[in-house]
Amino acid sequence: LRYCQAQGVLPPGAVGEALYARSTRQAQQFSQRLQSWRDEQAPRLDIDLSLGGHRLHGLLNPGGRESILRYRFGRIRGGDLLEAWICHLIMACCGKAYETVLVGRDEGWRIPPLDEGVTPLEALLNLYGEGCRRLLHFYPDSSLAYAKQILKGSSPPQALNSAVKALSLIHI
């Protein structure tokens, strides 16, 4: 607490103490929410995949009990969902049909296991390769805003309006 106050992260005195206590309580509640999915002993998966001229090699930590767990102590962003989706696709390519759970402070996403052999991972790798050669117009936060509105039953023009609003929040 004192360190955060000295750094200017929290205000001094009782207000800083109250904010610190509230933040600590929220973090503990969030941690407890994660316990039903977390598995500290989950083995890391050694990845070595070749897909359409691309090679993926490394370690992937599922983090969950027979699931892929990703989380953010805050608002889930488009990049968080994209990272969870990519991990989900990699696991499916490795023959691990797991559910993926993405937990945020106020919301969560569940991605059901994929059918065997069905994965657009190669298409994403191709886009990545293209993005390394030239600028791609890629806006995960506005895409997420659009998808949320469609899932709520909004019309495409209404959803597009939400995407434009999210895009206007981007600082370039």
Side-chain angles (χ1 to χ4, degrees):
L1 169 66
R2 301 293 174 231
Y3 178 78
C4 291
Q5 288 175 326
Q7 294 293 314
V9 175
L10 289 173
V15 173
E17 291 172 14
L19 287 172
Y20 183 80
R22 185 180 75 185
S23 295
T24 300
R25 194 171 43 256
Q26 289 173 341
Q28 288 170 341
Q29 290 169 348
F30 185 75
S31 178
Q32 288 170 352
R33 275 182 55 209
L34 293 177
Q35 289 310 311
S36 61
W37 291 294
R38 280 188 87 172
D39 183 1
E40 298 289 335
Q41 306 304 318
R44 292 178 180 210
L45 184 64
D46 189 15
I47 306 294
D48 194 0
L49 293 172
S50 292
L51 293 167
H54 301 281
R55 183 170 180 223
L56 289 177
H57 181 74
L59 292 174
L60 181 65
N61 183 0
R65 294 183 180 97
E66 295 297 313
S67 66
I68 302 163
L69 175 65
R70 296 292 179 262
Y71 52 90
R72 171 187 290 278
F73 183 61
R75 179 181 63 86
I76 291 177
R77 299 177 183 171
D80 301 322
L81 192 54
L82 180 62
E83 187 232 342
W85 176 240
I86 290 171
C87 290
H88 190 76
L89 295 178
I90 291 170
M91 292 292 277
C93 284
C94 292
K96 309 277 186 194
Y98 287 174
E99 172 185 52
T100 295
V101 179
L102 175 59
V103 182
R105 196 154 78 186
D106 298 323
E107 65 179 319
W109 292 77
R110 290 185 109 127
I111 306 171
L114 292 171
D115 293 332
E116 199 169 316
V118 177
T119 175
L121 183 58
E122 186 176 339
L124 282 176
L125 289 170
N126 288 335
L127 284 171
Y128 173 78
E130 189 176 336
C132 288
R133 291 185 297 280
R134 67 178 186 88
L135 179 64
L136 294 181
H137 300 288
F138 179 68
Y139 307 101
D141 289 330
S142 57
S143 298
L144 179 57
Y146 181 89
K148 282 182 177 181
Q149 291 303 311
I150 292 294
L151 289 172
K152 287 181 183 177
S154 298
S155 69
Q158 290 171 322
L160 186 58
N161 203 18
S162 290
V164 168
K165 285 179 187 172
L167 189 59
S168 68
L169 298 175
I170 296 174
H171 300 290
I172 298 176

